[in-house]
Amino acid sequence: MTKHPFKRYSIENNNGIFIELSDLGATITKILMPKNNQRYDVVLGFNDDSAYFDYTACYFGGIIGRVANRIAKGTFELNDERYHIETNEGNNTLHSGNDGYQLRHWEVVSSTSNAITFKLVSPHLDQGFPGELKLAVTYTITDDNALTITYHGESDRPTVFNPTNHSYFNLNGHDSGNIMKHRLWIDGRQYSVLNDESIPKGHEDVSNTPMDFTTERVIGEQQASGFDDNYMLNHRSAHKVATLIGDQTGIAMDVFTDMPCVQLYTGNGLDNVPGKDGAIYDQFAGVCLETQFEPNSVNSESPPIIDGEKIYRTVYQFRNL
Protein backbone atom coordinates (compact mmCIF):
# COMPACT_ATOMS: atom_id res chain seq x y z
CA MET A 1 0.00 0.00 0.00
CA THR A 2 1.15 3.53 -0.68
CA LYS A 3 1.86 5.71 2.35
CA HIS A 4 0.67 9.02 0.88
CA PRO A 5 -1.73 10.14 -1.88
CA PHE A 6 1.08 10.64 -4.38
CA LYS A 7 0.61 12.70 -7.51
CA ARG A 8 2.18 12.67 -10.96
CA TYR A 9 3.22 15.68 -12.98
CA SER A 10 4.51 16.23 -16.50
CA ILE A 11 6.90 18.48 -18.38
CA GLU A 12 7.55 18.59 -22.12
CA ASN A 13 9.37 20.49 -24.83
CA ASN A 14 8.33 21.72 -28.27
CA ASN A 15 9.82 18.67 -30.00
CA GLY A 16 7.43 16.15 -28.46
CA ILE A 17 9.55 14.87 -25.56
CA PHE A 18 7.16 14.20 -22.66
CA ILE A 19 8.39 13.41 -19.15
CA GLU A 20 6.20 12.18 -16.30
CA LEU A 21 7.37 12.54 -12.71
CA SER A 22 6.00 11.60 -9.30
CA ASP A 23 6.22 13.36 -5.96
CA LEU A 24 6.98 9.88 -4.61
CA GLY A 25 10.77 10.00 -4.60
CA ALA A 26 10.88 12.89 -7.12
CA THR A 27 10.85 9.95 -9.51
CA ILE A 28 11.05 9.92 -13.29
CA THR A 29 8.24 7.53 -14.26
CA LYS A 30 8.17 8.05 -18.06
CA ILE A 31 10.26 9.65 -20.79
CA LEU A 32 8.45 9.54 -24.11
CA MET A 33 10.65 10.07 -27.19
CA PRO A 34 9.25 10.79 -30.68
CA LYS A 35 10.93 8.71 -33.39
CA ASN A 36 9.68 7.52 -36.80
CA ASN A 37 6.09 8.60 -36.04
CA GLN A 38 6.11 6.59 -32.81
CA ARG A 39 6.68 7.49 -29.16
CA TYR A 40 9.11 5.33 -27.22
CA ASP A 41 9.06 5.31 -23.43
CA VAL A 42 12.77 4.94 -22.68
CA VAL A 43 12.81 4.44 -18.88
CA LEU A 44 11.68 1.52 -16.73
CA GLY A 45 9.00 2.14 -14.11
CA PHE A 46 5.60 1.31 -12.68
CA ASN A 47 2.10 2.57 -13.43
CA ASP A 48 0.99 2.13 -9.81
CA ASP A 49 2.79 3.97 -7.01
CA SER A 50 2.33 1.02 -4.67
CA ALA A 51 4.69 -1.05 -6.83
CA TYR A 52 7.58 1.25 -5.88
CA PHE A 53 7.09 0.02 -2.29
CA ASP A 54 6.64 -3.59 -3.40
CA TYR A 55 9.85 -3.62 -5.44
CA THR A 56 12.12 -1.38 -3.39
CA ALA A 57 15.31 -3.08 -4.63
CA CYS A 58 14.74 -1.68 -8.13
CA TYR A 59 14.98 2.06 -7.29
CA PHE A 60 13.38 2.84 -10.69
CA GLY A 61 13.86 6.52 -11.56
CA GLY A 62 14.07 7.78 -7.98
CA ILE A 63 16.30 10.32 -6.27
CA ILE A 64 18.82 8.52 -4.08
CA GLY A 65 20.03 10.26 -0.93
CA ARG A 66 21.45 11.38 1.31
CA VAL A 67 24.29 9.18 0.01
CA ALA A 68 24.10 7.10 -3.15
CA ASN A 69 25.82 3.72 -3.52
CA ARG A 70 27.59 1.85 -0.73
CA ILE A 71 28.94 2.67 2.72
CA ALA A 72 31.26 0.02 4.16
CA LYS A 73 29.89 -1.52 7.36
CA GLY A 74 27.28 1.27 7.48
CA THR A 75 29.54 3.64 9.35
CA PHE A 76 31.75 6.68 8.84
CA GLU A 77 33.43 9.41 10.86
CA LEU A 78 32.96 13.15 10.46
CA ASN A 79 34.54 15.82 12.69
CA ASP A 80 35.69 13.19 15.19
CA GLU A 81 32.20 11.72 15.60
CA ARG A 82 31.21 8.30 14.32
CA TYR A 83 27.82 7.79 12.66
CA HIS A 84 25.98 4.54 11.97
CA ILE A 85 23.65 4.01 9.03
CA GLU A 86 21.29 1.05 8.55
CA THR A 87 22.99 -1.87 6.83
CA ASN A 88 20.70 -3.27 4.13
CA GLU A 89 23.15 -5.12 1.86
CA GLY A 90 24.97 -7.68 3.95
CA ASN A 91 27.40 -5.83 6.21
CA ASN A 92 27.06 -2.60 4.23
CA THR A 93 24.66 0.23 3.48
CA LEU A 94 23.25 0.62 -0.04
CA HIS A 95 21.62 3.90 -1.10
CA SER A 96 21.30 5.13 2.51
CA GLY A 97 19.33 2.18 3.85
CA ASN A 98 15.72 1.12 3.53
CA ASP A 99 14.26 4.59 4.19
CA GLY A 100 15.80 6.30 1.20
CA TYR A 101 14.69 9.53 -0.42
CA GLN A 102 13.20 7.53 -3.31
CA LEU A 103 10.42 6.38 -0.94
CA ARG A 104 9.63 9.81 0.53
CA HIS A 105 6.91 12.29 -0.36
CA TRP A 106 8.48 15.40 -1.92
CA GLU A 107 6.85 18.82 -2.00
CA VAL A 108 6.40 20.45 -5.41
CA VAL A 109 7.56 24.04 -4.95
CA SER A 110 7.37 25.21 -8.58
CA SER A 111 6.06 23.84 -11.85
CA THR A 112 5.95 25.13 -15.42
CA SER A 113 5.37 23.45 -18.77
CA ASN A 114 9.04 22.46 -19.07
CA ALA A 115 10.41 22.47 -15.50
CA ILE A 116 9.46 21.22 -12.05
CA THR A 117 11.16 21.50 -8.65
CA PHE A 118 10.69 19.03 -5.82
CA LYS A 119 11.86 19.72 -2.26
CA LEU A 120 12.62 17.44 0.68
CA VAL A 121 13.75 18.35 4.21
CA SER A 122 15.90 15.67 5.81
CA PRO A 123 16.34 16.44 9.54
CA HIS A 124 19.41 15.97 11.72
CA LEU A 125 20.16 12.24 12.17
CA ASP A 126 17.63 11.23 9.50
CA GLN A 127 18.86 7.81 8.27
CA GLY A 128 21.68 8.31 10.81
CA PHE A 129 23.35 11.23 9.00
CA PRO A 130 24.32 14.41 10.86
CA GLY A 131 22.81 17.79 10.08
CA GLU A 132 19.58 19.00 8.53
CA LEU A 133 19.67 18.86 4.73
CA LYS A 134 17.23 20.73 2.53
CA LEU A 135 17.35 19.26 -0.95
CA ALA A 136 15.66 20.78 -4.00
CA VAL A 137 15.73 18.78 -7.23
CA THR A 138 14.76 20.52 -10.45
CA TYR A 139 14.03 18.73 -13.72
CA THR A 140 14.11 20.90 -16.86
CA ILE A 141 13.57 19.81 -20.47
CA THR A 142 14.76 22.23 -23.14
CA ASP A 143 14.11 22.50 -26.86
CA ASP A 144 17.58 21.15 -27.60
CA ASN A 145 16.27 17.90 -26.04
CA ALA A 146 18.34 18.18 -22.86
CA LEU A 147 16.90 16.95 -19.57
CA THR A 148 18.81 18.71 -16.78
CA ILE A 149 18.65 17.46 -13.19
CA THR A 150 19.83 20.08 -10.69
CA TYR A 151 20.50 19.06 -7.09
CA HIS A 152 20.53 22.07 -4.75
CA GLY A 153 21.49 21.15 -1.21
CA GLU A 154 21.53 23.35 1.89
CA SER A 155 22.85 22.10 5.23
CA ASP A 156 22.95 23.64 8.70
CA ARG A 157 26.31 22.02 9.49
CA PRO A 158 28.94 19.88 7.74
CA THR A 159 27.48 16.61 6.50
CA VAL A 160 27.85 14.20 3.61
CA PHE A 161 25.95 14.79 0.36
CA ASN A 162 26.06 12.44 -2.61
CA PRO A 163 22.72 12.34 -4.47
CA THR A 164 21.91 10.67 -7.78
CA ASN A 165 19.01 9.70 -10.00
CA HIS A 166 18.50 5.96 -10.50
CA SER A 167 16.75 5.85 -13.89
CA TYR A 168 17.12 2.70 -15.96
CA PHE A 169 17.29 3.57 -19.66
CA ASN A 170 16.34 1.37 -22.59
CA LEU A 171 16.57 3.49 -25.72
CA ASN A 172 14.73 0.84 -27.73
CA GLY A 173 11.72 1.28 -25.41
CA HIS A 174 11.18 0.15 -21.82
CA ASP A 175 9.32 -2.96 -22.99
CA SER A 176 11.80 -4.04 -25.68
CA GLY A 177 13.86 -6.41 -23.56
CA ASN A 178 17.63 -6.57 -23.34
CA ILE A 179 19.95 -3.52 -23.46
CA MET A 180 23.14 -5.52 -23.95
CA LYS A 181 23.30 -4.59 -27.65
CA HIS A 182 23.19 -0.87 -26.87
CA ARG A 183 26.42 0.93 -27.67
CA LEU A 184 28.19 2.80 -24.88
CA TRP A 185 31.05 5.28 -24.48
CA ILE A 186 32.34 6.43 -21.07
CA ASP A 187 34.94 9.14 -20.50
CA GLY A 188 36.73 7.24 -17.77
CA ARG A 189 40.19 5.70 -17.96
CA GLN A 190 40.07 4.26 -14.44
CA TYR A 191 37.52 2.20 -12.53
CA SER A 192 37.09 1.14 -8.92
CA VAL A 193 38.41 -2.31 -8.12
CA LEU A 194 35.92 -3.90 -5.73
CA ASN A 195 36.19 -6.42 -2.94
CA ASP A 196 33.68 -9.26 -2.66
CA GLU A 197 31.18 -6.88 -0.99
CA SER A 198 31.36 -4.30 -3.82
CA ILE A 199 33.43 -1.86 -1.74
CA PRO A 200 36.31 -0.16 -3.61
CA LYS A 201 39.82 -1.22 -2.67
CA GLY A 202 41.72 0.73 -5.30
CA HIS A 203 41.72 1.93 -8.91
CA GLU A 204 42.90 0.32 -12.11
CA ASP A 205 43.21 1.44 -15.71
CA VAL A 206 40.49 0.20 -18.06
CA SER A 207 42.97 -0.57 -20.85
CA ASN A 208 42.89 -4.18 -22.04
CA THR A 209 39.97 -5.04 -19.74
CA PRO A 210 36.23 -5.55 -20.34
CA MET A 211 35.73 -2.27 -18.46
CA ASP A 212 37.10 -0.23 -21.38
CA PHE A 213 34.44 2.01 -22.95
CA THR A 214 36.84 4.80 -23.88
CA THR A 215 35.87 3.99 -27.45
CA GLU A 216 32.22 3.30 -28.23
CA ARG A 217 31.43 -0.42 -27.82
CA VAL A 218 28.53 -2.86 -27.55
CA ILE A 219 27.82 -3.43 -23.84
CA GLY A 220 27.29 -7.19 -23.97
CA GLU A 221 30.34 -7.84 -26.12
CA GLN A 222 32.49 -6.44 -23.33
CA GLN A 223 31.12 -8.60 -20.53
CA ALA A 224 28.17 -10.96 -20.87
CA SER A 225 27.54 -11.00 -17.10
CA GLY A 226 26.75 -7.28 -17.06
CA PHE A 227 28.17 -4.41 -15.01
CA ASP A 228 27.75 -2.82 -11.60
CA ASP A 229 30.87 -0.71 -11.61
CA ASN A 230 32.12 2.78 -10.83
CA TYR A 231 34.14 4.83 -13.31
CA MET A 232 36.43 7.67 -12.29
CA LEU A 233 35.71 10.42 -14.80
CA ASN A 234 38.59 12.07 -16.61
CA HIS A 235 37.55 15.64 -15.80
CA ARG A 236 36.02 17.34 -12.77
CA SER A 237 34.03 19.99 -14.57
CA ALA A 238 30.74 19.90 -16.45
CA HIS A 239 31.45 17.96 -19.63
CA LYS A 240 30.19 15.01 -21.65
CA VAL A 241 30.97 11.84 -19.73
CA ALA A 242 28.99 9.13 -21.54
CA THR A 243 26.97 8.29 -24.63
CA LEU A 244 24.38 5.51 -24.90
CA ILE A 245 22.83 4.47 -28.24
CA GLY A 246 19.84 2.18 -28.76
CA ASP A 247 20.68 -0.50 -31.31
CA GLN A 248 17.13 -0.76 -32.71
CA THR A 249 15.87 2.85 -32.64
CA GLY A 250 19.19 4.66 -33.05
CA ILE A 251 18.10 7.06 -30.29
CA ALA A 252 21.23 8.42 -28.61
CA MET A 253 21.67 9.92 -25.14
CA ASP A 254 24.69 12.02 -24.13
CA VAL A 255 25.37 12.42 -20.41
CA PHE A 256 26.99 15.55 -18.96
CA THR A 257 27.81 16.08 -15.28
CA ASP A 258 29.98 18.01 -12.84
CA MET A 259 30.19 15.02 -10.48
CA PRO A 260 33.41 12.95 -10.34
CA CYS A 261 32.11 9.45 -11.10
CA VAL A 262 29.47 7.46 -12.92
CA GLN A 263 28.12 4.08 -11.85
CA LEU A 264 27.34 1.75 -14.76
CA TYR A 265 24.63 -0.73 -13.78
CA THR A 266 23.03 -3.01 -16.35
CA GLY A 267 20.07 -4.22 -14.30
CA ASN A 268 21.78 -7.47 -13.35
CA GLY A 269 19.38 -8.07 -10.46
CA LEU A 270 16.11 -7.58 -12.30
CA ASP A 271 14.05 -10.77 -12.37
CA ASN A 272 10.44 -11.05 -13.53
CA VAL A 273 9.52 -7.54 -12.31
CA PRO A 274 6.01 -6.53 -13.54
CA GLY A 275 6.53 -3.08 -15.00
CA LYS A 276 4.50 -0.48 -16.87
CA ASP A 277 1.85 -1.40 -19.41
CA GLY A 278 2.23 -5.16 -18.96
CA ALA A 279 5.99 -5.22 -19.52
CA ILE A 280 8.09 -7.75 -17.61
CA TYR A 281 11.56 -6.54 -16.66
CA ASP A 282 14.17 -9.26 -16.53
CA GLN A 283 17.94 -9.13 -16.23
CA PHE A 284 19.49 -6.42 -18.44
CA ALA A 285 16.13 -4.75 -19.19
CA GLY A 286 17.66 -1.31 -18.56
CA VAL A 287 20.98 0.42 -17.97
CA CYS A 288 21.73 3.04 -15.32
CA LEU A 289 24.35 5.76 -15.66
CA GLU A 290 24.31 7.15 -12.13
CA THR A 291 26.41 10.30 -11.73
CA GLN A 292 27.81 10.46 -8.19
CA PHE A 293 30.88 10.14 -5.98
CA GLU A 294 32.80 6.89 -5.65
CA PRO A 295 31.17 4.18 -3.52
CA ASN A 296 32.20 4.43 0.15
CA SER A 297 33.66 7.90 -0.51
CA VAL A 298 32.33 8.96 2.91
CA ASN A 299 35.23 6.90 4.29
CA SER A 300 37.81 8.29 1.86
CA GLU A 301 40.34 11.09 2.14
CA SER A 302 38.00 13.26 0.02
CA PRO A 303 34.47 12.66 1.30
CA PRO A 304 31.52 14.38 -0.42
CA ILE A 305 30.95 17.14 2.13
CA ILE A 306 28.35 19.89 2.13
CA ASP A 307 28.68 22.75 4.60
CA GLY A 308 26.11 25.39 3.71
CA GLU A 309 25.17 25.20 0.05
CA LYS A 310 26.16 22.97 -2.87
CA ILE A 311 24.77 22.43 -6.36
CA TYR A 312 25.37 19.51 -8.74
CA ARG A 313 24.00 19.11 -12.25
CA THR A 314 23.56 16.18 -14.58
CA VAL A 315 22.20 16.45 -18.12
CA TYR A 316 20.75 13.67 -20.28
CA GLN A 317 20.61 15.06 -23.84
CA PHE A 318 18.79 13.07 -26.50
CA ARG A 319 19.49 13.07 -30.23
CA ASN A 320 18.79 11.10 -33.42
CA LEU A 321 15.06 11.65 -32.91
Side-chain angles (χ1 to χ4, degrees):
M1 294 293 292
T2 58
K3 301 179 180 181
H4 194 279
F6 300 106
K7 185 177 178 181
R8 297 200 179 184
Y9 302 80
S10 64
I11 57 176
E12 56 189 321
N13 70 1
N14 290 323
N15 301 323
I17 295 180
F18 175 93
I19 301 169
E20 183 186 78
L21 306 110
S22 175
D23 58 9
L24 166 59
T27 295
I28 297 173
T29 54
K30 292 181 182 178
I31 300 180
L32 299 181
M33 289 284 149
K35 174 79 173 183
N36 298 332
N37 298 316
Q38 298 186 56
R39 293 226 287 182
Y40 293 88
D41 185 352
V42 298
V43 290
L44 276 56
F46 299 113
N47 289 331
D48 188 344
D49 289 327
S50 64
Y52 289 92
F53 292 98
D54 294 336
Y55 294 90
T56 55
C58 295
Y59 302 97
F60 288 155
I63 295 296
I64 306 300
R66 181 173 308 191
V67 171
N69 219 304
R70 293 167 174 89
I71 300 174
K73 296 180 172 51
T75 186
F76 68 97
E77 190 172 293
L78 181 62
N79 294 337
D80 298 323
E81 286 195 45
R82 181 151 293 277
Y83 296 92
H84 298 275
I85 316 302
E86 176 190 14
T87 54
N88 60 332
E89 188 186 64
N91 296 317
N92 305 315
T93 299
L94 176 63
H95 296 327
S96 300
N98 289 319
D99 188 21
Y101 292 176
Q102 80 282 359
L103 298 176
R104 308 282 183 91
H105 176 256
W106 291 62
E107 178 188 1
V108 174
V109 294
S110 68
S111 179
T112 67
S113 62
N114 74 320
I116 187 168
T117 299
F118 298 92
K119 185 176 181 180
L120 180 74
V121 177
S122 180
H124 176 54
L125 296 182
D126 182 20
Q127 303 168 312
F129 295 106
E132 179 183 83
L133 176 71
K134 296 177 181 177
L135 176 56
V137 175
T138 300
Y139 295 94
T140 306
I141 181 68
T142 59
D143 286 340
D144 60 354
N145 301 331
L147 173 61
T148 299
I149 307 175
T150 304
Y151 306 89
H152 184 172
E154 293 183 47
S155 67
D156 64 353
R157 72 194 77 182
T159 186
V160 288
F161 180 51
N162 177 22
T164 195
N165 178 277
H166 208 294
S167 287
Y168 293 69
F169 294 94
N170 187 324
L171 299 183
N172 297 330
H174 78 101
D175 54 355
S176 64
N178 197 300
I179 50 80
M180 295 296 268
K181 292 184 179 179
H182 278 47
R183 300 186 68 85
L184 178 65
W185 168 82
I186 296 177
D187 186 32
R189 289 189 295 269
Q190 288 195 321
Y191 69 98
S192 300
V193 181
L194 306 176
N195 66 16
D196 56 7
E197 294 185 324
S198 297
I199 301 298
K201 58 182 181 179
H203 302 145
E204 287 189 4
D205 196 284
V206 300
S207 299
N208 302 313
T209 76
M211 304 293 296
D212 189 355
F213 289 97
T214 56
T215 57
E216 184 185 297
R217 304 193 176 177
V218 174
I219 296 174
E221 290 181 359
Q222 292 292 95
Q223 188 163 271
S225 59
F227 294 86
D228 189 6
D229 293 282
N230 176 73
Y231 285 80
M232 315 299 293
L233 298 173
N234 291 339
H235 303 89
R236 187 61 206 278
S237 59
H239 70 294
K240 185 164 73 169
V241 301
T243 296
L244 182 70
I245 303 172
D247 58 291
Q248 296 173 20
T249 61
I251 295 173
M253 182 180 77
D254 296 323
V255 184
F256 302 77
T257 192
D258 53 12
M259 299 190 83
C261 299
V262 64
Q263 182 86 6
L264 169 63
Y265 177 54
T266 50
N268 310 342
L270 298 178
D271 181 16
N272 198 36
V273 178
K276 292 178 286 189
D277 307 324
I280 299 296
Y281 302 141
D282 282 314
Q283 191 176 47
F284 312 138
V287 54
C288 304
L289 292 165
E290 305 161 55
T291 58
Q292 56 189 263
F293 284 76
E294 186 175 23
N296 197 38
S297 56
V298 296
N299 286 304
S300 73
E301 294 181 356
S302 301
I305 297 297
I306 181 174
D307 183 10
E309 184 176 19
K310 196 169 284 283
I311 295 174
Y312 295 114
R313 288 186 179 88
T314 293
V315 179
Y316 298 103
Q317 185 163 26
F318 300 93
R319 52 186 172 85
N320 296 350
L321 302 180

